[in-house]
Amino acid sequence: MNTNIEELRKKYIKNPPDGMTSKDVREMSDEALLDMDYFLNEDDLFDDEAGVEGFYIF
C-alpha cells in the first residue's frame, strides 16, 4: 500500500489541488493525502438520492 501512497503523492506534487503547493503535498501525512484524494475524486458527497437521475413528474 505504501507504493500507492507514493504514487498519489507524486501525482499531487506534479499537479497540486487549488489552494495548495507542492510543498504542502510533500509535508502531508499519508492519512491526510488519502483523505484528500478521496474527497477530490468523490462525485457528490452530499447526494441523498443515490442512483436517482433526472426530473420526474407524476
Side-chain angles (χ1 to χ4, degrees):
M1 183 164 153
N2 194 19
T3 57
N4 293 337
I5 293 171
E6 289 308 313
E7 289 174 16
L8 277 177
R9 192 174 306 279
K10 288 177 186 176
K11 171 185 169 184
Y12 288 117
I13 286 173
K14 288 180 184 177
N15 187 16
D18 291 339
M20 295 189 78
T21 65
S22 297
K23 182 181 177 191
D24 295 333
V25 175
R26 264 190 227 101
E27 295 175 351
M28 291 176 81
S29 69
D30 292 349
E31 293 81 19
L33 183 67
L34 290 171
D35 287 344
M36 179 184 75
D37 181 62
Y38 176 80
F39 287 111
L40 288 174
N41 292 304
E42 185 67 21
D43 288 335
D44 191 356
L45 295 175
F46 304 106
D47 188 11
D48 292 332
E49 299 181 27
V52 176
E53 295 182 19
F55 181 78
Y56 302 95
I57 298 176
F58 295 98

